[in-house]
């Protein structure tokens, strides 16, 4: 399986193509509002309002930043990607640590601005290759986001019950699963992509090329699979604590998980694996609001948090693979962290499809059909759970 | 000649004394501002939002007029079945609360010694002091596979129901029980002792006494309690999330649409309101509301 590295084959003529509404073969052009890019840095505004995931903004690295720049950081923790999008659209925040399923929505909605990478010197070669130029934050050749870190949606299993590592996701999808009734799945519309990843492998006739570019037929097939799964689901999870207690308490034997949740569960018999079909994953990225009055502080923050030590501290605090892999070689602890979260293992990430907002323009480059939007996915998700 | 005594100057009182309307407005200004400005307006805005469109591309709300969001509640099978399921859960919770509250109320009011009665009253109200999420998680831990329930029942060869609708009903009943138990207890306590004696004199044993004497007399209290248990259950979704397994309730649909499709969420939030209004109309028909 290959991820489409669409953007860095630099679409130099992207803006012209966007205007004429046509795409060169194999290259993807999306219609996005024209938001101006910052050309030079100015004086710090003294304030920075961030919407972020829990653990991304911590006094340990905020205080030195404020001391250096005078930008006072106000953090608002969001619980879901949808909440992040809603908060950013209020216009009250300057910066967001969005996952790919929120990022593309914000970009095509004109809520965030393209970034001038020359003003972010710390975005360098040390950023993991697999986090550069992904469709969710680089559109039409313009970068909108600076990567923070990533995590894969892995198959977690209770080894005491399963005996060995399941090789396929079929244990969570097929009606004859030996663990029926003790299966957990992620409770969000974006989980439809996981069904699509499974179908890509097992139903090639559906011709799904990208799990985030589903036409109506393909979405219907994914929804059918999810409905089939609904009958054998023990419970859906969106709250990490509920997922951990579910595995530890024995209610769940197999299901979607993150490496960090396994770590928190702290049970030797709970293991994670990446099955043959591959999986999805969340890639978090800093995006700057298109209406921010504090863009200098925002640029300074992105640059500051992109250096190895700060980026690594965020990654370790949250429990994910850091974007800046130079951090890994710092000491034995950081190397152990990077190894556990596969930070430097691009072969691993090649099997992971980064969360991307599904939009009507197919992100796999098809132009002859209309793809289903995230709105369609949300409506479909409700019908899955009946 | 003595100086004429001047009346004390109280301009505000004097002014108000002559103008009863102004007095009334001053009295009602604060509560009415709250009721209309905060309560009614927000509900009206909700209703209006339910009639609006959504831009599928950016999920921004566009003012307009469509009844699709309401029609969908009836035509999309998943929406309709979720509404019916939520109604059934709310009714079941109310029933469970009634079943527990009546015997407990009779025991507390008529049989228990004062210190036992006080102890029980504290035991019923004490959980109200604990956080809602704490209670939810406590129920979750109780009913996990390796939780307290299965551990207690293991010697009898019984295993728990697992997360699903039954545990959701039990959890909601646990959460809202005080709202039913207290009015029922108070109502039973107000029944004169001699009514029980008269019932016994006429040859009625325990069950007929409860059904033909106690129940009709405490119906207003039951209705009062059930308004709480019923409406609070209708709006709840965290219980379904934490102990419902794959159960979906109306609140789950509202929660998953609140950011992405506010019109659908708004339309759905009208469903519990409609159910509660229907419930109150039925309760009114029985004449119970007048005696509350």
């Amino acid at each position: 399986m290959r991820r489409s590295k669409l953007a860095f084959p630099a679409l130099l003529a992207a803006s012209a193509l966007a205007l004429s509404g046509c795409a060169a073969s194999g290259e993807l052009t999306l219609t996005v509002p024209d938001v101006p890019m910052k050309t030079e840095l100015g004086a710090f505004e003294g304030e920075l309002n961030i919407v972020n995931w829990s653990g991304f903004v911590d006094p340990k690295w905020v205080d030195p930043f404020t001391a250096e720049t005078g930008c006072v950081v106000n953090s608002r923790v969001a619980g879901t990607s949808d909440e992040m999008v809603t908060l950013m659209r209020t216009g009250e925040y300057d910066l967001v640590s969005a996952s790919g399923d929120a990022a593309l929505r914000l970009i095509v909605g004109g809520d965030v601005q393209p970034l001038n990478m020359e003003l972010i010197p710390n975005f360098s070669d040390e950023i993991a290759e697999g986090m550069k130029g992904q469709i969710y934050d680089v559109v039409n050749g313009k970068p909108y986001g600076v990567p923070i870190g990533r995590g894969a949606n892995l198959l977690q299993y209770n080894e005491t019950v399963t005996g060995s590592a399941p090789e396929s996701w079929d244990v969570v999808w097929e009606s004859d699963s030996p663990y029926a009734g003790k299966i957990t799945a992620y409770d969000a519309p974006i989980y439809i992509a996981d069904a699509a990843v499974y179908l890509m492998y097992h139903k090639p006739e559906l011709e799904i090329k990208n799990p985030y570019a589903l036409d109506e037929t393909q979405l219907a097939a994914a929804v059918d699979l999810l409905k089939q799964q609904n009958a054998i689901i023990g419970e859906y999870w969106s709250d990490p604590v509920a997922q951990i207690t579910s595995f530890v308490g024995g209610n769940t034997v197999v299901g979607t998980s993150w490496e960090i949740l396994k770590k928190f569960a702290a049970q030797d018999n709970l293991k994670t694996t990446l099955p043959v079909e591959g999986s999805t994953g969340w890639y978090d990225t800093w995006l700057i609001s298109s209406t921010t009055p504090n863009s200098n502080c925002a640029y300074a923050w992105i640059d500051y948090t992109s250096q190895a030590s700060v980026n690594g501290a965020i990654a370790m605090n949250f429990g994910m693979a850091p974007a800046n892999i130079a951090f890994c070689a710092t000491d034995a602890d950081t190397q152990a962290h990077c190894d556990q979260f596969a930070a430097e293992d691009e072969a691993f990430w090649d099997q992971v499809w980064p969360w991307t907002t599904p939009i009507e323009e197919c992100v796999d480059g098809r132009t002859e059909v209309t793809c289903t939007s995230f709105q369609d996915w949300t409506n479909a998700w409700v019908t899955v759970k009946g | 000649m003595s100086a004429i005594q001047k009346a004390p100057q109280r301009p505000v009182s004097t002014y108000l004394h002559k103008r009863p309307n102004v007095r009334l407005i001053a009295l009602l200004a604060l509560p009415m501002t709250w009721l209309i400005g905060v309560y009614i307006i927000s509900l009206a805005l909700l209703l209006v939002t339910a009639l609006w469109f959504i831009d599928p591309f950016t999920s921004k709300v566009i003012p307009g007029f469509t009844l699709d969001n309401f029609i969908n509640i009836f035509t999309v099978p998943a929406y309709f079945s979720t509404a019916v399921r939520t109604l059934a859960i709310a009714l079941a919770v109310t029933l469970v609360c009634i079943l527990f509250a009546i015997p407990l109320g009779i025991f507390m009011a008529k049989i228990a010694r004062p210190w036992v009665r006080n102890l029980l009253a504290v035991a019923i109200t004490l959980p109200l002091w604990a956080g809602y999420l704490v209670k939810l998680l406590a129920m979750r831990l109780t009913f996990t596979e390796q939780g307290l329930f299965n551990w207690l029942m293991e010697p009898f060869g019984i295993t728990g129901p697992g997360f699903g609708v039954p545990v959701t009903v039990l959890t909601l009943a646990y959460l809202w029980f005080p709202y039913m138990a207290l009015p029922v207890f108070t109502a039973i306590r107000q029944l004169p002792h001699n009514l029980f004696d008269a019932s016994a004199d006429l040859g009625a044993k325990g069950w007929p006494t409860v059904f033909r004497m106690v129940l009709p007399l405490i119906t207003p209290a039951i209705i009062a309690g059930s308004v709480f248990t019923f409406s609070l259950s209708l709006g709840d979704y965290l219980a379904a999330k934490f102990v419902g397994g794959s159960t979906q309730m109306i609140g789950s649909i509202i929660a998953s649409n609140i950011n992405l499709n506010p019109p659908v969420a708004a339309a759905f939030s009208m469903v519990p309101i409609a159910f509660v209004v229907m419930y109150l109309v039925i309760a009114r028909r029985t004449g119970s509301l007048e005696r509350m």
Side-chain angles (χ1 to χ4, degrees):
Chain A
M1 187 186 305
R2 269 187 56 80
R3 277 162 307 132
S4 35
K5 289 179 181 163
L6 293 157
F8 260 65
L11 303 176
L12 292 175
S15 49
L17 285 171
L19 287 174
S20 62
C22 67
S25 61
E27 289 169 347
L28 178 68
T29 309
L30 301 177
T31 318
V32 292
D34 195 21
V35 179
M37 183 177 76
K38 201 172 169 64
T39 50
E40 56 185 14
L41 291 178
F44 295 124
E45 296 87 353
E47 188 185 346
L48 181 62
N49 304 300
I50 308 181
V51 176
N52 57 278
W53 297 118
S54 162
F56 277 42
V57 174
D58 189 283
K60 269 189 287 224
W61 50 90
V62 168
D63 292 348
F65 172 76
T66 306
E68 194 180 312
T69 61
C71 301
V72 176
V73 174
N74 305 308
S75 153
R76 165 75 187 259
V77 173
T80 65
S81 291
D82 294 339
E83 196 183 338
M84 280 189 167
V85 173
T86 310
L87 286 172
M88 281 309 282
R89 286 192 176 144
T90 63
E92 290 167 21
Y93 298 90
D94 309 308
L95 191 69
V96 61
S97 68
S99 297
D101 60 324
L104 190 56
R105 242 186 290 172
L106 291 167
I107 294 169
V108 296
D111 301 297
V112 292
Q113 53 178 283
L115 299 183
N116 186 341
M117 291 312 213
E118 285 172 13
L119 307 179
I120 307 171
N122 279 331
F123 180 83
S124 64
D125 294 345
E126 289 158 348
I127 302 296
E129 210 45 52
M131 294 199 76
K132 286 178 178 170
Q134 293 282 7
I135 175 64
Y136 59 81
D137 70 349
V138 179
V139 176
N140 302 343
K142 284 188 196 167
Y144 284 79
V146 170
I148 310 165
R150 56 183 166 179
N153 294 312
L154 298 167
L155 175 60
Q156 183 165 308
Y157 58 99
N158 184 333
E159 201 178 33
T160 320
V161 181
T162 62
S164 59
E167 282 173 13
S168 162
W169 281 106
D170 61 2
V171 289
V172 306
W173 292 112
E174 300 297 341
S175 303
D176 59 359
S177 167
Y179 316 112
K182 294 188 178 289
I183 293 165
T184 193
Y186 190 61
D187 188 2
I190 200 72
Y191 185 66
I192 291 173
D194 290 68
V197 167
Y198 185 75
L199 290 174
M200 279 170 76
Y201 189 91
H202 293 280
K203 293 255 177 72
E205 66 273 20
L206 285 166
E207 297 187 333
I208 301 175
K209 296 283 174 269
N210 181 316
Y212 306 98
L214 305 180
D215 59 37
E216 280 189 15
T217 323
Q218 293 164 338
L219 178 65
V223 168
D224 283 344
L225 181 63
L226 287 157
K227 282 182 176 164
Q228 171 181 314
Q229 185 196 40
N230 184 258
I232 53 169
I233 282 284
E235 62 180 332
Y236 293 97
W237 71 273
S238 54
D239 181 271
V241 177
Q243 192 260 25
I244 291 170
T245 55
S246 190
F247 268 102
V248 173
N251 285 63
T252 296
V253 170
V254 288
T256 307
S257 185
W258 305 334
E259 189 63 27
I260 185 63
L261 300 184
K262 186 193 83 180
K263 195 176 170 185
F264 277 140
Q267 302 263 314
D268 290 338
N269 59 347
L270 295 181
K271 301 247 163 68
T272 52
T273 181
L274 184 65
V276 287
E277 294 90 351
S279 188
T280 58
W282 34 270
Y283 287 45
D284 294 342
T285 184
W286 295 117
L287 300 166
I288 300 182
S289 160
S290 49
T291 58
T292 174
N294 303 315
S295 58
N296 293 308
C297 279
Y299 265 90
W301 172 265
I302 291 183
D303 190 45
Y304 170 75
T305 53
S306 293
Q307 59 184 303
S309 58
V310 181
N311 179 256
I314 294 174
M316 279 186 89
N317 200 38
F318 185 80
M320 61 181 172
N324 192 329
I325 47 178
F327 168 75
C328 299
T330 314
D331 60 35
D333 276 354
T334 61
Q335 191 61 54
H337 177 82
C338 285
D339 290 347
Q340 182 175 11
F341 290 86
E344 299 164 295
D345 186 358
E346 283 303 324
F348 172 89
W349 295 104
D350 275 343
Q351 304 169 64
V352 176
W353 290 89
W355 274 358
T356 303
T357 320
I359 54 177
E360 284 180 356
E361 288 178 87
C362 300
V363 292
D364 63 357
R366 282 184 292 172
T367 49
E368 74 283 4
V369 288
T370 306
C371 276
T372 49
S373 68
F374 197 56
Q375 196 74 65
D376 301 321
W377 285 37
T378 308
N379 296 343
W381 183 244
V382 174
T383 66
V384 165
K385 295 172 70 188
Chain B
M1 223 158 89
S2 64
I4 298 162
Q5 267 200 330
K6 269 183 130 184
Q9 298 269 324
R10 290 213 203 113
V12 177
S13 304
T14 316
Y15 178 84
L16 286 178
H17 180 73
K18 292 177 188 157
R19 295 171 181 80
N21 285 337
V22 178
R23 220 159 58 212
L24 191 68
I25 290 170
L27 185 69
L28 290 179
L30 208 60
M32 288 314 263
T33 311
W34 183 81
L35 185 71
I36 295 172
V38 178
Y39 201 76
I40 305 281
I41 294 265
S42 58
L43 272 179
L45 283 177
L46 196 70
L47 177 66
V48 169
T49 311
L51 302 171
W52 287 359
F53 296 95
I54 185 93
D55 179 347
F57 199 52
T58 59
S59 44
K60 285 175 182 162
V61 177
I62 306 163
F65 182 83
T66 173
L67 288 174
D68 285 355
N69 297 318
F70 287 106
I71 293 169
N72 281 345
I73 295 173
F74 294 97
T75 53
V76 177
Y79 286 177
F80 189 72
S81 63
T82 302
V84 172
R85 182 185 310 119
T86 308
L87 179 65
I89 288 176
L91 287 173
V93 169
T94 304
L95 200 67
V96 169
C97 285
I98 295 173
L99 285 180
F100 280 97
I102 293 177
L104 182 73
I106 293 177
F107 176 77
M108 281 173 70
K110 299 297 172 196
I111 301 167
R113 292 156 182 272
W115 70 270
V116 179
R117 177 188 307 151
N118 290 339
L119 195 72
L120 283 171
V122 170
I124 291 171
T125 44
L126 204 60
L128 286 176
W129 291 64
Y132 169 87
L133 273 177
V134 173
K135 286 185 277 188
L136 269 187
L137 286 173
M139 286 302 270
R140 185 177 163 83
L141 292 176
T142 306
F143 283 97
T144 53
E145 195 83 7
Q146 293 161 19
L148 181 75
F149 185 84
N150 279 356
W151 179 74
L152 280 177
M153 291 298 155
E154 203 184 358
F156 310 103
I158 299 171
T159 48
F163 297 136
V165 173
V167 177
T168 307
V169 170
L170 267 184
T171 302
L172 289 171
Y174 163 60
L175 286 172
W176 315 135
F177 183 64
Y179 300 106
M180 177 66 81
L182 292 178
V184 166
F185 160 64
T186 314
I188 295 176
R189 210 177 167 187
Q190 284 166 354
L191 299 180
H193 268 298
N194 50 25
L195 278 182
F196 286 84
D197 296 338
S199 176
D201 283 349
L202 291 169
K205 293 211 165 80
W207 288 113
T209 305
V210 169
F211 278 106
R212 298 177 60 183
M213 191 273 281
V214 176
L215 206 54
L217 286 172
I218 63 166
T219 304
I222 291 177
I223 300 276
S226 65
V227 169
F228 287 105
T229 58
F230 182 73
S231 57
L232 289 173
S233 302
L234 279 180
D236 194 90
Y237 78 103
L238 284 174
K241 184 170 159 173
F242 279 97
V243 296
S246 56
T247 308
Q248 179 165 259
M249 290 178 72
I250 289 175
S252 325
I253 295 183
I254 297 174
S256 61
N257 277 294
I258 190 72
N259 284 309
L260 209 67
N261 197 339
V264 165
F268 248 95
S269 52
M270 292 296 151
V271 178
I273 295 177
F275 282 149
V276 170
V277 168
M278 284 192 298
Y279 189 82
L280 289 177
V281 167
I282 294 170
R284 206 183 126 82
R285 281 278 168 82
T286 65
S288 311
L289 291 184
E290 284 79 6
R291 286 187 277 146
M292 262 165 83

